[in-house]
């Protein structure tokens, strides 16, 4: 939706203009999957796709939410009451953020919100983290809380963990808060330190969404996390961040096969992330390809979060790009998207190959986005 229509819509719904706008992006993860909640390393970049929220303070304690994408539906709740789940699935994300801000002792005020987003939903590009961080940006500015972006991200993660019942790590919210245009963000999920890594000018980030309907994602996701925690306990470490392959082999006899495989993925993936930072800095396509291919195999065989559709897409795109590209699944798995790194001139190889083979093999159409690394959370008062 163009900006003008967005602003007009706010006026039409609430009978006065908005006072400010908060905007937070989705993300694509280049490498480092399921390492965040194991205190490991990740290398995502924020995308130019974003969730934007126009807002205006109210004189009472009501929070009212409308979304351009769900015109017949709105949500309304009071911050004076206990905040619990409502009927609107997307409205619950706003409730979740209000719940954790309130729990942390922040004094909130009533507000009118209108949401718009061009982050593709259900494709593993973190539309929910974008929404949580954008809402966090609203409360932070509106209530003069002076929170850091890192704290807004942590509260977004708590919203997901404690209200939405998904035991996710910090990657999505932190890159949505702190992303930087034209850069990927190396995050050390133990210290939360971040380092920007420049994306070479001639490198394109192509995202192909399998459009495979994601089912039971949260329960599978949470189970993987439990397996990792159990494996860490059996190696007598607090998290898998402190484990290495020798420790894994030594403790294998105590582990279930799944615990062993999940830990094997995480330990090897952490090493791949650090190597990928160097490969990106050197614009070394061969190294990127080897690392991303190894990551995908590990996600398929050890972490078991791919589906035939995402495996098939990786195969189709890697075959089309040959030595000139690096490809793997990205995000929370069980469907969702794959990410390809290639030269600009090779993008059409991906679009042609997907058009020629994906539907024929899987009976679903894929969606393709050429991603641009964008900035993180922005809040402006008019
Ligand atoms: C989801 C979660 C993240 C991360 C990824 C997998 O996107 O929200 O915290 O665990 O899956 O890397």
């Amino acid at each position: 939706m163009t900006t003008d229509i967005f602003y007009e819509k706010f006026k039409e719904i609430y009978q006065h203009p908005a006072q400010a706008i908060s905007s937070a992006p989705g993300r694509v993860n280049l490498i480092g999957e399921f390492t965040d909640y194991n205190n490991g390393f990740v290398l995502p970049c924020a995308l130019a796709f974003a969730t934007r929220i126009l807002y205006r303070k109210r004189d009472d304690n009501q929070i009212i939410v409308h979304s351009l994408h769900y015109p017949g539906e709105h949500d309304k709740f009071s911050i004076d009451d206990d905040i619990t789940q409502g009927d609107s699935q997307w409205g619950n994300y706003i409730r979740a953020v209000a719940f954790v801000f309130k729990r942390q002792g922040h004094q909130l005020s009533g507000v009118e919100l209108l949401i718009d987003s061009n982050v593709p939903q259900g494709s593993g590009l973190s539309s929910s983290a974008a929404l949580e961080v954008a809402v966090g940006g609203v409360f932070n500015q509106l209530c003069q809380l002076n929170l850091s972006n890192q704290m807004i991200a942590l509260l977004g993660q708590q919203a997901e963990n404690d209200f939405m019942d998904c035991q996710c790590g910090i990657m999505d919210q932190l890159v949505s808060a702190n992303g930087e245009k034209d850069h990927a963000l190396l995050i050390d999920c133990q210290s939360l330190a971040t380092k920007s890594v420049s994306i070479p000018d001639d490198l394109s980030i192509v995202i192909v969404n399998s459009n495979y309907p994601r089912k039971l994602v949260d329960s599978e996701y949470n189970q993987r996390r439990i397996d990792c925690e159990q494996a860490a306990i059996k190696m007598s470490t607090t998290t898998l961040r402190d484990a290495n392959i020798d420790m894994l082999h030594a403790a294998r006899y105590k582990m279930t096969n799944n615990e062993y495989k999940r830990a094997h993925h995480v330990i090897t993936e952490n090493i791949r992330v650090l190597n990928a930072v160097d490969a990106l800095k050197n614009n070394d396509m061969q190294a990127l390809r080897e690392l991303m291919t190894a990551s995908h195999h590990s996600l398929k065989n050890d972490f078991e979060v791919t589906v035939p559709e995402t495996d098939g897409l990786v195969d189709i795109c890697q075959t089309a790009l040959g030595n000139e590209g690096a490809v793997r699944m990205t995000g929370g798995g069980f469907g969702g998207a794959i990410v390809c790194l290639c030269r600009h001139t090779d993008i059409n190889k991906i679009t042609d190959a997907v058009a020629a083979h994906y539907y024929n093999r899987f009976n679903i159409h894929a969606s393709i986005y050429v991603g641009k690394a964008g900035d993180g959370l922005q809040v402006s008062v008019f």
Side-chain angles (χ1 to χ4, degrees):
M1 163 140 320
T2 65
T3 302
D4 283 356
I5 302 174
F6 187 32
Y7 287 37
E8 282 310 310
K9 202 74 196 163
F10 187 97
K11 256 201 217 155
E12 188 188 311
I13 294 170
Y14 294 112
Q15 304 295 309
H16 43 219
Q19 287 171 330
I21 189 164
S22 173
S23 167
R27 63 97 188 92
V28 64
N29 189 17
L30 302 184
I31 196 161
E33 224 62 86
F34 302 94
T35 44
D36 59 354
Y37 57 68
N38 291 299
N39 279 4
F41 298 102
V42 291
L43 187 64
C45 58
L47 291 170
F49 297 122
T51 292
R52 299 182 303 156
I53 306 180
L54 282 171
Y55 62 96
R56 185 181 185 96
K57 193 171 185 180
R58 283 177 65 89
D59 296 331
D60 60 15
N61 284 341
Q62 297 292 318
I63 296 188
I64 304 180
V65 201
H66 285 257
S67 164
L68 288 182
H69 298 275
Y70 301 91
E73 202 180 311
H74 75 281
D75 196 20
K76 183 173 176 177
F77 59 96
S78 166
I79 47 178
D80 296 331
D81 299 336
D82 282 343
I83 302 176
T84 53
Q85 300 261 345
D87 295 332
S88 157
Q89 181 53 26
W90 56 270
N92 278 334
Y93 284 99
I94 291 87
R95 288 175 180 243
V97 175
F99 169 83
V100 293
F101 270 68
K102 192 174 154 184
R103 184 177 68 181
Q104 231 200 21
H106 298 303
Q107 189 66 48
L108 299 183
S109 80
V111 65
E112 292 162 346
L113 307 163
L114 178 62
I115 301 170
D116 186 20
S117 180
N118 60 2
V119 185
Q121 281 185 22
S123 50
L125 300 181
S126 283
S127 54
S128 50
L131 179 54
E132 289 151 7
V133 171
V135 175
V138 171
F139 287 136
N140 187 43
Q141 186 283 320
L142 186 76
C143 310
Q144 314 261 297
L145 304 179
N146 283 321
L147 301 177
S148 65
N149 278 4
Q150 187 187 94
M151 183 49 76
I152 292 174
L154 283 165
L155 287 166
Q157 182 197 11
Q158 284 177 27
E160 193 86 49
N161 291 170
D162 300 343
F163 198 89
M164 303 306 288
D165 204 25
C166 175
Q167 300 309 311
C168 68
I170 190 62
M171 168 171 70
D172 305 346
Q173 290 81 5
L174 196 54
V175 70
S176 180
N178 276 343
E180 198 182 318
K181 192 167 180 283
D182 300 328
H183 289 75
L185 205 63
L186 171 65
I187 305 176
D188 175 340
C189 298
Q190 183 156 269
S191 64
L192 298 187
T194 59
K195 207 187 262 170
S196 299
V197 183
S198 168
I199 296 178
D201 282 349
D202 62 349
L203 204 66
S204 282
I205 303 170
V206 182
I207 299 153
V208 189
N209 183 7
S210 67
N211 287 325
Y212 175 80
R214 300 170 89 214
K215 290 179 217 127
L216 295 176
V217 177
D218 287 353
S219 58
E220 289 287 345
Y221 184 94
N222 295 345
Q223 183 56 49
R224 296 295 183 284
R225 184 168 180 159
I226 293 168
D227 291 342
C228 290
E229 285 163 1
Q230 287 302 314
I233 290 170
K234 291 180 183 171
M235 286 184 280
S236 307
T237 59
T238 320
T239 67
L240 291 181
R241 165 66 175 267
D242 305 316
N244 60 40
I245 286 288
D246 291 340
M247 291 160 73
L248 180 68
H249 289 153
R252 183 172 191 167
Y253 73 97
K254 294 187 235 174
M255 294 184 187
T256 64
N257 194 34
N258 276 352
E259 287 162 2
Y260 171 80
K261 291 201 301 185
R262 309 312 184 222
H264 187 264
H265 165 74
V266 173
I267 292 168
T268 55
E269 184 82 347
N270 276 329
I271 300 168
R272 285 188 286 269
V273 176
L274 298 178
N275 289 335
V277 171
D278 291 334
L280 207 56
K281 282 185 187 154
N282 298 330
N283 203 354
D284 181 345
M285 185 59 89
Q286 184 184 333
L288 286 171
R289 185 177 62 259
E290 285 166 9
L291 292 163
M292 285 174 67
T293 300
S295 171
H296 186 82
H297 284 155
S298 181
L299 288 160
K300 177 174 190 268
N301 302 320
D302 280 345
F303 223 72
E304 297 179 286
V305 287
T306 66
V307 293
E309 285 74 3
T310 46
D311 290 333
L313 269 180
V314 165
D315 180 40
I316 290 166
C317 296
Q318 188 68 71
T319 306
L321 290 168
N323 288 339
E324 298 307 316
V327 184
R328 61 174 210 93
M329 69 145 261
T330 183
F334 308 103
I338 69 155
V339 58
C340 313
L341 298 179
C342 66
R343 306 295 168 211
H344 307 314
T345 43
D346 286 332
I347 297 176
N348 63 332
K349 291 189 182 158
I350 298 175
T351 40
D352 290 352
V354 170
H357 305 296
Y358 183 65
Y359 183 79
N360 282 349
R361 266 169 75 176
F362 297 103
N363 230 13
I364 324 178
H365 289 289
S367 318
I368 302 186
Y369 313 97
V370 178
K372 274 216 131 318
D375 281 319
L377 174 66
Q378 318 265 338
V379 180
S380 357
V381 180
F382 306 138

